[in-house]
Amino acid sequence: MRTLISTAFVSLDGVMEAPGGEPGYRNSGWTFKDVEFVPEAFEIKGREQKEAAAMLLGRVSYEAFSAVWPDMEDFADYKAMPKYVVSTGLTEDGLVSNWGDTTILRSLDDVAALKETEGGPLIVHGSATLNHGLSDAGLIDRYHLLVFPLLLGAGKRLFSATDKDTQKLKLVEHEAYANGLQKNVFDVVR
């Protein structure tokens, strides 16, 4: 069974929207505009590329990342990695040709079936709506969170607002940095 890892930049109040400067959000670019850069805090991002076997994305994040990540040196290890996009509306002609093999999954049941296959970890970047569905369906095994010392108020949140039973997490790695950033790695307790 494959491990499904959700990785995100989040504000202290749980917002994950537009951390890199994506248009249309009031506080777009909050990860680099408002917090001093400390390189050691981002070590986990390089490690994720080395440890992941495939990427899982929602349609909106796929469309945003596939427009820029294939040509970025910082994301070179993701270029050849298999990608899975969960979407009911995306078609094959909506996929880019310069970012490795990409498979469209139509449902969370398809994701659950993918998790049952052989292979290394699946990593989810961005993808707020997909994260909500995966969490609510009990499909996420681990969270890699870089928590920024900011309160952004409105914006897409990493965690679902669904009324559900408590889900326990076990802190397996953590570190705080001089700029107030915190790395928190949690395993989902089953």
Side-chain angles (χ1 to χ4, degrees), residues 120-186:
L122 302 164
I123 193 152
V124 181
H125 286 276
S127 307
T129 302
L130 177 59
N131 263 290
H132 295 175
L134 293 169
S135 176
D136 290 347
L139 294 173
I140 296 175
D141 301 299
R142 176 173 275 197
Y143 290 95
H144 289 183
L145 306 178
L146 284 179
V147 182
F148 286 72
L150 302 169
L151 300 175
L152 298 175
K156 292 179 185 176
R157 301 203 179 291
L158 175 62
F159 299 104
S160 164
T162 301
D163 185 14
K164 59 184 177 184
D165 291 339
T166 301
Q167 184 173 49
K168 290 182 67 176
L169 305 174
K170 179 182 179 186
L171 185 65
V172 295
E173 183 181 342
H174 64 93
E175 194 160 347
Y177 303 94
N179 63 355
L181 202 67
Q182 297 175 24
K183 172 179 63 181
N184 294 302
V185 176
F186 293 100

